[in-house]
Amino acid sequence: YVMLLTLSPYTPRYRDRVSPPGVMIRPYLNGFTIAFNVSQPDTWQPYVDNMHHFLAAYDDEVQEEKNIECVPGQYFIQGGNDSEEKKACQFKRSLLQNCSGMEDPTFGYSKGQPCILLKMNRIIGYRPGAGVPVSVDCKVQKGNESHLRSVDFYPGNGTFDLMYYPYYGKFTHVNYTSPLVAMHFTDVQRNYLVPIQCSLNGKGIINDLNSDRFLGRIIFTLRIGK
């Protein structure tokens, strides 16, 4: 009990061996298979609703009210006591462009070109990429590589800007919204189960550990019917 009293509720005592981040996707509904028929809105509407619900915190107006504009390309290091509230950088959903749900409220699902969002898990004090932004790429995990012909990434070329790091913890970084990379699958083979692996790439990233499919990568399946 006495030893517990010496621990800070704001930051871990030891941060010299921070684990690399895992990743997660949205929409997420009952597993990692995203299957729908373009001509049947009831099959893809739940994914669309899940996306809108998740991105509500990223609305431009919400971000402008709660968070500040930061300098891209560099870590946002904040000093002061551990207990001091930290500022958070704006991540507006408009940065996701075709996958923002603003111009196309169906996120491409009504056209058979679904958007999927990738998010890194939060790790207090972690500075990904050792000064170089971490990027994302996607490929067919097993099977015919030609089944995945085109993927667009937003924002930019699919990177997590350094300005959103480090994360200082939920007690002091109260308005922090995790940066996202949107993956727009614009040309996927129809009527096939297409297993896709999307991976983080950067210094210090581990994405090839067979015992952990969420460490630095994620595997999911797309099935787009007519």
Side-chain angles (χ1 to χ4, degrees):
Y1 175 75
V2 173
M3 293 180 67
L4 287 174
L5 292 177
T6 68
L7 298 178
S8 169
Y10 304 105
T11 57
R13 172 173 288 180
Y14 299 109
R15 288 183 287 171
D16 56 333
R17 296 185 66 184
V18 177
S19 299
V23 294
M24 190 57 182
I25 59 170
R26 294 292 187 279
Y28 178 73
L29 295 174
N30 305 316
F32 294 96
T33 296
I34 296 175
F36 62 94
N37 295 322
V38 176
S39 61
Q40 297 176 289
D42 60 311
T43 63
W44 48 258
Q45 190 62 48
Y47 298 115
V48 171
D49 293 342
N50 186 267
M51 292 277 277
H52 278 295
H53 178 74
F54 176 73
L55 286 174
Y58 292 85
D59 284 346
D60 289 19
E61 298 79 8
V62 173
Q63 289 294 310
E64 289 170 359
E65 178 183 350
K66 292 185 175 181
N67 297 331
I68 64 170
E69 292 188 19
C70 297
V71 179
Q74 63 186 46
Y75 296 121
F76 185 26
I77 309 296
Q78 302 181 62
N81 297 327
D82 288 345
S83 59
E84 290 182 14
E85 186 172 319
K86 309 300 182 185
K87 297 177 180 178
C89 298
Q90 295 177 5
F91 190 99
K92 300 178 180 179
R93 68 187 293 174
S94 58
L95 292 173
L96 302 176
Q97 300 180 49
N98 292 342
C99 287
S100 67
M102 299 169 73
E103 292 187 9
D104 177 6
T106 72
F107 298 97
Y109 284 78
S110 64
K111 304 172 185 176
Q113 300 178 331
C115 290
I116 297 176
L117 306 177
L118 189 73
K119 179 178 77 72
M120 264 198 268
N121 293 346
R122 299 178 182 183
I123 301 174
I124 294 177
Y126 184 58
R127 304 181 191 181
V132 179
V134 171
S135 62
V136 178
D137 67 25
C138 297
K139 62 183 180 181
V140 173
Q141 193 235 353
K142 288 181 181 179
N144 193 332
E145 294 183 2
S146 67
H147 285 178
L148 179 60
R149 292 182 284 267
S150 178
V151 188
D152 295 329
F153 296 92
Y154 308 104
N157 54 354
T159 58
F160 294 93
D161 198 285
L162 300 179
M163 66 181 175
Y164 300 106
Y165 305 97
Y167 170 60
Y168 287 93
K170 64 180 180 180
F171 291 113
T172 55
H173 227 159
V174 292
N175 291 327
Y176 183 84
T177 39
S178 299
L180 308 169
V181 165
M183 305 168 296
H184 193 190
F185 293 90
T186 54
D187 194 356
V188 178
Q189 182 68 40
R190 299 289 180 94
N191 297 313
Y192 277 87
L193 286 171
V194 183
I196 295 171
Q197 175 175 296
C198 293
S199 305
L200 304 179
N201 298 288
K203 190 171 182 179
I205 296 293
I206 298 174
N207 60 18
D208 57 358
L209 197 63
N210 290 332
S211 60
D212 191 343
R213 60 180 287 179
F214 302 106
L215 184 63
R217 62 173 178 167
I218 195 161
I219 299 167
F220 55 92
T221 301
L222 279 179
R223 186 192 181 283
I224 304 171
K226 296 181 179 179

